[in-house]
Amino acid sequence: MIAPCLWFDGNAEEAARFYVSAFPDSHLDIVSHYGEGMPFPAGTVPEALGRMMKQGRSEQLARMMGALMKMSKLEVATPEAAYRGDDTG
């Protein structure tokens, strides 16, 4: 099984779809669109965030990403609480 995580600055979804077309029986599981200002550099996504992104329902992912976009420094507990639906203030 190949499970890449692709990160682009522009045309990412187009590139991912091209990438998938090159491998028989491949598919996209998750397509996430992020704005600027992520609180961590590319390639350093904590394991917990990757797990939530793979397993979460759309409302969970929206809450988690909303919490992430407000952060200037990544503290995994905050997006995890938002993912669960806990009141984060």
Side-chain angles (χ1 to χ4, degrees), residues 3-45:
C5 177
L6 305 175
W7 192 297
F8 291 86
D9 185 16
N11 299 335
E13 190 167 349
E14 178 184 353
R17 292 191 187 287
F18 175 77
Y19 186 86
V20 167
S21 74
F23 295 94
D25 300 321
S26 62
H27 60 280
L28 294 175
D29 285 331
I30 298 172
V31 176
S32 300
H33 299 269
Y34 303 108
E36 293 184 18
M38 292 298 286
F40 49 88
T44 61
V45 177

Side-chain angles (χ1 to χ4, degrees), residues 53-68:
M53 290 168 73
K54 185 173 182 177
Q55 296 175 351
R57 296 182 313 275
S58 60
E59 64 272 10
Q60 291 172 305
L61 298 176
R63 287 192 307 260
M64 180 189 71
M65 291 308 299
L68 278 173

Side-chain angles (χ1 to χ4, degrees), residues 34-40 49 61-76 78-83 86-89:
Y34 303 108
E36 293 184 18
M38 292 298 286
F40 49 88
L49 295 181
L61 298 176
R63 287 192 307 260
M64 180 189 71
M65 291 308 299
L68 278 173
M69 290 299 136
K70 295 176 187 173
M71 300 175 80
S72 59
K73 179 180 177 188
L74 179 62
E75 296 175 10
V76 176
T78 300
E80 282 182 324
Y83 176 89
D86 296 348
D87 183 13
T88 59

